[in-house]
Amino acid sequence: MDFDYGLLYVVATLLPLASFLILFLGGRRMGRLGAYIATAAIGLSCVCSLIGAVAYFSNVPHHHGHHAAGHAHDGPGHDHHPDAHADKKADHGHDPKQDHKADPHSGTKEEHDHGPPWQGSIYWAWVGGTADKPAMSLELGYYVDGLTVLMFVMVSFIATLIHVFSMGYMAEELQDQVEDHQAHVTRKGRYSRFFMFLSLFCFSMLNLILANNLFQVFVSWELVGICSYLLISFYYERLSASTAANKAFIVNRVGDAGFIIGLLIFWTYCGTFNFQEIFGQLRCPPEDAHGKNSLAGQIVRGRLVPEQDLGDRKYLAVVEFRLDVAQLEKSGAVDKETLDRLRTLDGKTFDRAKSFRDALEAALGHEQFEKLESQLLQAGARTISDGPVALLFPPEPGDHPHGVGPDAEKFEDGYGDGIYLAVAPKPNQYRSIPYWLLVLGGIGIFLGCVGKSAQFPLQVWLPDAMEGPTPVSALIHAATMVAAGVYLVGRAFPLFAPEVLVLIAYVGCITAFLAATIAIVQTDIKKVLAYSTVSQLGFMMLALGVGGWAAGLFHLITHAFFKALLFLGSGSVIHGCHHEQDMTRMGGLFPKMKITAVTMLIGVLSIAGTPLFAGWYSKDAVLASALSFVTLRPQHLLLFLLPLITAGLTAFYMFRLWFLTFTGKPRDEHVYEHAHESPYVMTVPLMILAFFSVTVAWGLNPLDATGSALEHAIHHEYPTVMPDRVAEDDAKVKAEAGNDAILPALVAYQLDKNAYLNVLHLPSLHELAGGLALLAAGLGIAMAFVVYGFGFLDPAQTKAQFQSVFRFLWEKWYFDEAYEVMFVRPAHVVAGWARWFDLKVIDGIIDNLALGTVRLSWFDGRFDLGIIDGLVNLTANVVYGVGSWLRIFQTGSIRNYVLFLALAAVGIVAVLSYVVALAG
Amino acid sequence: MTTVGLQEVLLVGAVLFVAGILCMVTKRNAIGVLMGTELVLNGANVNFVAFAYFHNLFNIEGQIFALFTIIMAAAEAAIALAIVLNFYNNHVTVDVDAAEDLKG
Amino acid sequence: MSFADFLFWVVALLTGLSAVMVVVTQNIVRAALWLLFTLAGTAGLFFLLGADFVGAVQLLVYVGGILILLVFGVMLTAQGPFVNLRAGAGEWAVAIVVGLLLLGLLGSAFLMTDWRFLPTQPPDPATSRYTNDLGLALLGSRDATPPGTLPVHPGDQPVERSRVAYLLPFEIVSVHLLVVLIGAAYLARARRRRGART
């Protein structure tokens, strides 16, 4: 590949920045020209990203046989990251800007089933080492893999459409004087400023997607945050807008605090922010130096051993979750029944086991375990250890010089043959991270995502953020920025321990349900959509949490299209109704704005999960993931039930929105009279988005819910950190393990995680989940028809009947009030204390210090006048006195001088002779 | 001359020298002071000549220095007298105690 | 005591007494007279010490020149009160003490010095060619000054003395005299007094 497409993406990212700078410098004068520049910039970015996408996917070779079968599960891709990583390291020798992988295919014997990641970076700041190869560095780089490519296309494409739409929507800002009816002020138009912020946002968002390291993500993360802040408070004369902006910013700070904690944990233990390097450390290479699969691709739970325990041998750790059954069999110490039982163990056995011993005991049953133990003891082994567990991983992939297996070093102090094998690393070869810190780091990063993606319990800011202009809501608060949290969870997926993934799943699940219930009762058209967004983001988080990595990101992309469509549609309605957002004052608008109504209906159908619409595929994938998970772990039943209910609720409130807006009788004559269809500059983006809201997820056979081409494409990008043999289905692992002296049961963390994640690929489950989801959506739609479509049930009456429930939902589950009581008021109280402390103690100290200084100065002055000046004056006086005394001898009389001369001669000679006499 | 040695001659020179100093100190008349200087110079000359006489390596040098001293004395006397006359012209006195313009 | 010794003591006594009289005499004119005797006695001493030429010059310059000059000065300025200007008794006392101290110092200096390292062989006046050598030295001949080893304290490194001549100092002194004469004439020239101080 001669052309580096990575740089194309860099250009695509920098174009909006250039536009931002031009608009920034151009100021208010730019007018329409500013909009053209911004739109052209993001449009060019879109073109670049499309070229990149074509180049990327045209590089994807045909898959292995079982992949081509159309099965939803393509399996995690063959892992070539170690090579890429090694090349990258080697490339640091020359100009880092050229540091991209020219041909990832060279030197790898396996066939890749996804295209090359284009990557490169420059150092932003570094310490230690040389400039070419610093000991620690902050990078500024790009990493373009399939996920980036797809996200890039999505973001730049939707952003382009929204730019176009905004040209129409924000047209009135072109006037010199704009009257703000809500804030009751007249101000200058801010047309160019709007596009300036949009450009800055586009740059930040694209940079976030493009980043190859966590730190760059974090910087972009804050940049999109500030853009969000600026655009929410675009009408900053309105108190509600500025308050909402502050709220968004502050709530996000809570999440970002967690993000920083996560960053620091991984920086501390990995020494890098680069995704690939961190991932590289979180596992072993597929093969060791002997060509043996030893600790291949696993994070191994082991027990840290103090060095002195082992005499002169420098063992740092003992691998605990490992049992070499082949050797065990060879030794003949264990009977065949136990061996067979051992071979049937799988990753689940060790899921959250406290120790190897517990796990084995639980898996084998008490009787059989005791038998095994006694047999081992007879063979000379010690009792099976149950120490605490830690997590070990090597710092450098491909640098694993020792084997664990037949030729591994063994403990010679009584652990017995083939049972407890020692890893004998060189000093500092292994970095280790306490498991709880790995969990904490994952939670920290996820907390950042919670804030940005408005997940429970930080979901409160997003609905308020609807104070911004509607295109902003569509772009930032529906399609892209809020999805950044989901994107980051997907990007940093290997960092999350199973415990964290469960947490993610629950958070997503609760968020989805909670937001959907609130959305039912909202009357502000944008608020409904906002809660819908929160709910859908919850779906994505849920999918990621239950291991449906591809499903979550798939839903992210489809959702971006139809949610942008819905928001732009609502914008069109609001624009047509002269900034009326309350649905209770709309109604019957269908004849007046047909294009808007139809496109919005498409969006509603899509989000509701109607077959053949984009939302159908992704929502089914999400629910199928959840169902698979729940099938294996019935205790997490809620993770499927709540999303299922939510799917029904979603269909209900979305149709409610559409019915309330476009059908029935006009409820407000004034609004109805003035309603009109928006200009083409606004409706054309709607139509384009509507088209994609239907077709974006289509595969070869649109009727196949699992056949979405987009989902397959995402699946290829699964961030595998384990070798194929582990990543394949359990049976295959077991089969290979027998030959390779590795039991799947005894592969630790990654297999754990693999078992955790490897559950979503059963077609039957997918069909079941799809069917249930369709049923739920159908019920929801039917309800909406009953209540709002045909008016069989009077909403007001229902409302009256369920007054308390309605209040509860209307007040958004009292989250704001709860936070008011829990955080805001305590904060005020603490602030009061702090104020008191500041006034009394700090100021007191300062005042007293000042007073003390004055006193001290007084003494100092005395000292200066008395002693210092006194000394100076004394010197002068002495000199004066001596001079006066000497003056006596200056008589002016020659005779006296002669006398003095004679005397002096006598005196000097006398003294000299005396001295000479003394000396002699 | 067998009994009279260098020390005796030097004694004469010392007497002349001390007499000159005393003369300078005690005379208030400027010309008296001048006379004192002549005495001092003569005392020195006596020493020069005495050493010239009693040291055979410096027979000539001692006399030459004495000669130069005499010439210097003559010059000094001329200048000094001129100054005294000038002083007298200006102050109408030759009392050196009146010449105390430079008194500190 | 040879005649020469006798003569020396007579001349020395005369000279010393005259010098003391110069100091003691209050009248400036008498002092000049006593000075005459002193200078003449000194000249006699020079003769006795074999310095014929120096003695002659002493007589010529001092007695014949400087003294006359002094007497002129005395006469030019000797108006009533100035002839007998006298110092106070206190001054006299101090002067005498200082004088005695100085005399003691000088006396102790040459009395306590060990003169033995000097080659004290006085030349025979009869055979000495001092005046001749003096003229040669002043004319620039190095033959007049004998070479030899300078007397040093025993144990010190002996220092060789080379021959020297005195033409240049002689010329300088002559020019100097001329300058002094011109200067003196300038200083002493008659000027109209402008309001003399009283």
Side-chain angles (χ1 to χ4, degrees):
Chain A
M1 198 182 321
D2 295 319
F3 182 71
D4 180 19
Y5 286 94
L7 292 178
L8 186 73
Y9 279 89
V10 173
V11 169
T13 306
L14 292 178
L15 274 170
L17 180 64
S19 151
F20 163 72
L21 290 176
I22 293 170
L23 266 65
F24 181 74
L25 295 174
R28 191 184 305 280
R29 287 162 290 163
M30 302 288 283
R32 274 194 192 282
L33 181 62
Y36 294 147
I37 290 172
T39 311
I42 190 66
L44 276 174
S45 290
C46 182
V47 170
C48 288
S49 67
L50 284 172
I51 294 170
V54 169
Y56 185 87
F57 288 109
S58 63
N59 260 320
V60 178
H62 286 295
H63 306 141
H64 302 301
H66 71 278
H67 289 149
H71 193 276
H73 169 45
D74 289 309
H78 288 261
D79 173 54
H80 66 264
H81 293 315
D83 305 315
H85 187 75
D87 284 7
K88 192 166 180 294
K89 287 263 167 189
D91 279 351
H92 281 322
H94 55 265
D95 182 9
K97 275 195 168 179
Q98 300 298 317
D99 182 17
H100 55 82
K101 253 184 81 58
D103 185 5
H105 293 275
S106 64
T108 46
K109 52 186 183 287
E110 289 177 280
E111 191 183 0
H112 300 284
D113 59 0
H114 57 66
W118 298 304
Q119 54 182 326
S121 64
I122 56 174
Y123 295 123
W124 180 355
W126 66 85
V127 290
T130 61
D132 290 335
K133 192 173 170 30
M136 280 185 177
S137 60
L138 293 183
E139 281 177 296
L140 203 56
Y142 57 90
Y143 179 84
V144 183
D145 64 357
L147 180 60
T148 310
V149 167
L150 290 171
M151 287 291 291
F152 222 96
V153 171
M154 186 273 278
V155 170
S156 59
F157 182 67
I158 290 178
T160 308
L161 292 180
I162 288 175
H163 271 73
V164 173
F165 181 87
S166 301
M167 285 200 271
Y169 188 84
M170 302 303 285
E172 64 183 42
E173 292 288 337
L174 275 169
Q175 304 160 8
D176 271 348
Q177 298 292 320
V178 178
E179 197 174 343
D180 191 325
H181 296 289
Q182 275 176 265
H184 306 292
V185 290
T186 308
R187 56 171 173 79
K188 290 180 176 173
R190 300 188 183 129
Y191 192 72
S192 150
R193 175 201 294 224
F194 180 81
F195 283 95
M196 177 174 89
F197 289 157
L198 275 192
S199 282
L200 181 60
F201 171 78
C202 288
F203 159 70
S204 314
M205 187 66 208
L206 294 177
N207 190 31
L208 196 158
I209 297 168
L210 197 63
N212 72 339
N213 63 80
L214 268 173
F215 190 75
Q216 196 177 342
V217 166
F218 184 69
V219 171
S220 313
W221 194 263
E222 297 304 332
L223 272 173
V224 292
I226 193 68
C227 291
S228 161
Y229 173 83
L230 291 170
L231 284 165
I232 293 172
S233 60
F234 187 75
Y235 304 119
Y236 56 77
E237 289 88 355
R238 304 177 188 166
L239 183 64
S240 56
S242 61
T243 312
N246 284 336
K247 187 174 180 182
F249 206 70
I250 291 166
V251 171
N252 265 300
R253 293 281 72 65
V254 178
D256 290 347
F259 195 176
I260 288 184
I261 290 170
L263 282 186
L264 294 183
I265 287 175
F266 285 111
W267 171 259
T268 306
Y269 283 94
C270 300
T272 175
F273 282 129
N274 187 296
F275 284 119
Q276 303 311 312
E277 286 173 21
I278 294 178
F279 296 167
Q281 292 186 0
L282 281 173
R283 46 129 195 194
C284 297
E287 284 169 345
D288 66 18
H290 304 286
K292 299 278 194 272
N293 187 320
S294 53
L295 291 176
Q298 316 145 29
I299 292 176
V300 180
R301 278 184 188 175
R303 181 162 56 91
L304 287 173
V305 180
E307 285 183 25
Q308 62 267 28
D309 281 1
L310 297 161
D312 53 350
R313 303 178 73 185
K314 298 284 183 194
Y315 290 173
L316 292 180
V318 178
V319 176
E320 293 216 333
F321 279 19
R322 246 189 123 69
L323 196 52
D324 191 334
V325 176
Q327 281 227 336
L328 214 56
E329 190 173 14
K330 226 185 286 172
S331 73
V334 182
D335 61 25
K336 193 165 182 314
E337 189 191 351
T338 313
L339 281 174
D340 289 342
R341 188 78 186 89
L342 278 174
R343 285 209 171 94
T344 61
L345 298 181
D346 60 17
K348 272 191 294 174
T349 314
F350 295 95
D351 194 5
R352 274 174 295 287
K354 257 186 294 186
S355 73
F356 182 69
R357 186 192 174 90
D358 287 355
L360 261 190
E361 188 167 356
L364 294 176
H366 186 65
E367 205 175 312
Q368 213 165 9
F369 174 73
E370 284 202 330
K371 205 162 79 184
L372 171 70
E373 193 174 21
S374 68
Q375 284 167 342
L376 289 175
L377 284 171
Q378 277 171 11
R382 261 192 204 169
T383 178
I384 295 171
S385 155
D386 74 337
V389 290
L391 204 68
L392 301 172
F393 44 90
E396 294 287 322
D399 181 22
H400 196 272
H402 56 275
V404 177
D407 50 3
E409 292 198 58
K410 296 162 189 165
F411 264 112
E412 292 171 350
D413 52 353
Y415 280 82
D417 271 357
I419 297 174
Y420 288 92
L421 299 176
V423 181
K426 297 172 196 154
N428 295 328
Q429 177 160 17
Y430 282 85
R431 294 166 188 252
S432 67
I433 179 170
Y435 192 72
W436 67 273
L437 267 181
L438 181 77
V439 172
L440 189 66
I443 291 176
I445 289 186
F446 175 59
L447 196 56
C449 303
V450 165
K452 194 61 77 189
S453 286
Q455 297 295 292
F456 168 82
L458 301 181
Q459 85 283 14
V460 290
W461 68 270
L462 186 55
D464 288 21
M466 295 303 130
E467 288 291 338
T470 307
V472 170
S473 305
L475 179 61
I476 300 185
H477 302 122
T480 56
M481 185 190 83
V482 291
V486 180
Y487 166 78
L488 184 62
V489 170
R491 177 56 88 194
F493 197 61
L495 298 183
F496 298 116
E499 289 83 350
V500 183
L501 288 177
V502 172
L503 177 73
I504 293 173
Y506 269 101
V507 166
C509 167
I510 292 170
T511 312
F513 179 71
L514 184 126
T517 54
I518 299 173
I520 292 174
V521 298
Q522 294 298 319
T523 54
D524 184 317
I525 186 167
K526 281 178 75 180
K527 287 256 164 97
V528 175
L529 290 174
Y531 280 106
S532 160
T533 306
V534 174
S535 175
Q536 298 300 310
L537 290 168
F539 265 99
M540 299 167 207
M541 285 292 185
L542 166 75
L544 288 163
V546 297
W549 186 85
L553 294 168
F554 179 34
H555 195 54
L556 167 61
I557 290 177
T558 56
H559 169 260
F561 280 98
F562 56 68
K563 189 49 64 71
L565 165 65
L566 286 167
F567 260 110
L568 291 188
S570 77
S572 176
V573 171
I574 292 166
H575 186 78
C577 297
H578 296 278
H579 296 279
E580 182 53 63
Q581 302 192 5
D582 193 347
M583 290 191 296
T584 56
R585 304 179 67 179
M586 295 175 185
L589 294 175
F590 186 83
K592 289 225 167 187
M593 32 181 78
K594 287 198 174 105
I595 301 175
T596 306
V598 170
T599 50
M600 268 193 91
L601 182 60
I602 292 169
V604 168
L605 286 169
S606 188
I607 195 174
T610 317
L612 296 181
F613 288 79
W616 180 54
Y617 304 93
S618 57
K619 190 167 283 187
D620 272 14
V622 171
L623 285 171
S625 304
L627 183 58
S628 313
F629 187 79
V630 169
T631 314
L632 274 184
R633 291 171 184 73
Q635 71 268 34
H636 296 311
L637 183 64
L638 271 182
L639 289 184
F640 178 66
L641 274 188
L642 281 182
L644 192 64
I645 297 168
T646 307
L649 291 177
T650 307
F652 174 73
Y653 68 69
M654 286 315 296
F655 271 92
R656 168 178 175 267
L657 178 145
W658 194 81
F659 283 134
L660 279 179
T661 308
F662 294 109
T663 64
K665 287 177 184 163
R667 284 180 289 278
D668 188 308
E669 281 305 323
H670 178 73
V671 170
Y672 184 77
E673 285 297 322
H674 290 86
H676 58 84
E677 182 59 288
S678 302
Y680 280 117
V681 72
M682 290 166 73
T683 51
V684 168
L686 284 181
M687 289 187 270
I688 297 172
L689 279 171
F691 172 76
F692 282 106
S693 293
V694 180
T695 60
V696 72
W698 279 2
L700 284 175
N701 175 13
L703 287 173
D704 180 7
T706 62
S708 164
L710 181 62
E711 189 186 6
H712 283 224
I714 295 172
H715 238 309
H716 293 310
E717 308 304 332
Y718 186 75
T720 175
V721 292
M722 54 194 110
D724 289 332
R725 71 182 82 235
V726 183
E728 303 294 353
D729 51 62
D730 282 353
K732 196 172 176 195
V733 175
K734 281 174 200 158
E736 291 199 7
N739 304 330
D740 222 331
I742 287 193
L743 261 190
L746 305 172
V747 175
Y749 170 77
Q750 274 303 343
L751 186 54
D752 243 12
K753 193 165 168 180
N754 188 48
Y756 182 91
L757 304 177
N758 207 14
V759 293
L760 57 154
H761 314 303
L762 302 174
S764 58
L765 283 184
H766 202 293
E767 282 164 17
L768 178 59
L772 286 172
L774 200 58
L775 186 66
L779 278 174
I781 296 170
M783 270 305 275
F785 266 96
V786 167
V787 179
Y788 297 103
F790 305 130
F792 290 150
L793 276 174
D794 183 9
Q797 204 180 340
T798 321
K799 192 163 101 182
Q801 276 174 347
F802 296 100
Q803 185 62 33
S804 59
V805 176
F806 176 79
R807 289 293 314 168
F808 183 65
L809 296 179
W810 180 252
E811 295 295 343
K812 309 155 196 167
W813 291 39
Y814 293 103
F815 264 99
D816 285 340
E817 286 72 13
Y819 287 165
E820 170 81 19
V821 172
M822 278 156 54
F823 301 115
V824 179
R825 279 193 212 148
H828 278 294
V829 171
V830 172
W833 293 344
R835 181 172 177 276
W836 177 87
F837 185 80
D838 198 28
L839 278 179
K840 300 292 175 188
V841 182
I842 306 280
D843 284 9
I845 288 172
I846 289 171
D847 286 349
N848 280 321
L849 268 177
L851 206 61
T853 310
V854 170
R855 296 256 163 84
L856 193 67
S857 308
W858 186 78
F859 281 111
D860 190 42
R862 295 298 301 242
F863 179 80
D864 203 28
L865 286 175
I867 312 257
I868 307 285
D869 287 8
L871 278 175
V872 173
N873 289 338
L874 183 68
T875 313
N877 286 338
V878 166
V879 171
Y880 184 79
V882 171
S884 303
W885 181 68
L886 285 174
R887 188 166 167 271
I888 298 170
F889 303 98
Q890 189 83 3
T891 57
S893 164
I894 297 167
R895 301 185 301 118
N896 287 349
Y897 293 164
V898 173
L899 199 63
F900 295 150
L901 257 172
L903 265 176
V906 172
I908 288 171
V909 172
V911 169
L912 278 180
S913 49
Y914 179 70
V915 170
V916 169
L918 271 186
Chain B
M1 233 163 55
T2 52
T3 56
V4 175
L6 176 64
Q7 296 182 349
E8 287 79 359
V9 186
L10 290 184
L11 177 65
V12 177
V15 168
L16 284 176
F17 183 82
V18 172
I21 292 287
L22 288 182
C23 191
M24 284 195 279
V25 172
T26 55
K27 297 285 186 215
R28 287 173 63 191
N29 193 318
I31 294 175
V33 177
L34 259 179
M35 289 175 185
T37 59
E38 301 303 336
L39 279 177
V40 168
L41 289 168
N42 262 285
N45 264 355
V46 169
N47 278 24
F48 276 127
V49 173
F51 278 107
Y53 183 71
F54 287 105
H55 195 304
N56 49 15
L57 274 180
F58 293 108
N59 285 336
I60 300 302
E61 270 80 3
Q63 297 190 21
I64 285 184
F65 273 91
L67 281 174
F68 281 137
T69 310
I70 290 168
I71 296 162
M72 294 305 293
E76 174 250 322
I79 290 287
L81 271 173
I83 290 172
V84 167
L85 286 177
N86 214 343
F87 178 73
Y88 180 75
N89 278 343
N90 285 333
H91 293 81
V92 205
T93 180
V94 286
D95 186 354
V96 289
D97 287 358
E100 50 174 27
D101 290 356
L102 293 179
K103 183 178 179 180
Chain C
M1 182 184 281
S2 65
F3 179 71
D5 289 352
F6 174 72
L7 208 54
F8 170 78
W9 284 120
V10 170
V11 173
L13 219 60
L14 171 73
T15 312
L17 276 176
S18 305
V20 172
M21 287 313 288
V22 170
V23 177
V24 174
T25 309
Q26 294 300 320
N27 189 305
I28 191 71
V29 183
R30 289 187 186 171
L33 187 66
W34 284 115
L35 184 64
L36 169 67
F37 291 134
T38 311
L39 297 174
T42 313
L45 274 179
F46 289 166
F47 289 127
L48 283 175
L49 289 171
D52 307 356
F53 183 71
V54 179
V57 169
Q58 170 90 358
L59 283 177
L60 280 172
V61 173
Y62 266 111
V63 181
I66 297 175
L67 202 60
I68 299 302
L69 210 57
L70 287 176
V71 171
F72 265 107
V74 169
M75 291 194 294
L76 281 172
T77 62
Q79 296 167 344
F82 305 137
V83 179
N84 286 320
L85 279 172
R86 51 176 77 219
E91 284 180 324
W92 268 103
V94 173
I96 287 169
V97 170
V98 170
L100 288 177
L101 276 175
L102 199 56
L103 189 62
L105 177 76
L106 290 170
S108 65
F110 61 72
L111 284 176
M112 289 164 69
T113 307
D114 182 7
W115 297 108
R116 277 173 302 172
F117 68 94
L118 277 180
T120 50
Q121 253 88 46
D124 185 1
T127 58
S128 70
R129 299 170 56 246
Y130 290 159
T131 310
N132 195 3
D133 289 345
L134 209 55
L136 285 174
L138 287 175
L139 287 174
S141 165
R142 292 173 191 272
D143 294 337
T145 52
T149 307
L150 284 178
V152 290
H153 277 285
D156 284 358
Q157 197 72 25
V159 176
E160 285 301 314
R161 175 200 192 284
S162 56
R163 292 169 173 276
V164 286
Y166 296 94
L167 182 58
L168 186 62
F170 183 75
E171 292 298 332
I172 290 173
V173 160
S174 57
V175 173
H176 177 239
L177 267 180
L178 178 65
V179 169
V180 163
L181 285 176
I182 295 169
Y186 172 77
L187 276 173
R189 79 188 191 280
R191 276 185 300 194
R192 184 178 298 148
R193 251 181 285 161
R194 299 173 190 161
R197 264 193 217 168
T198 49

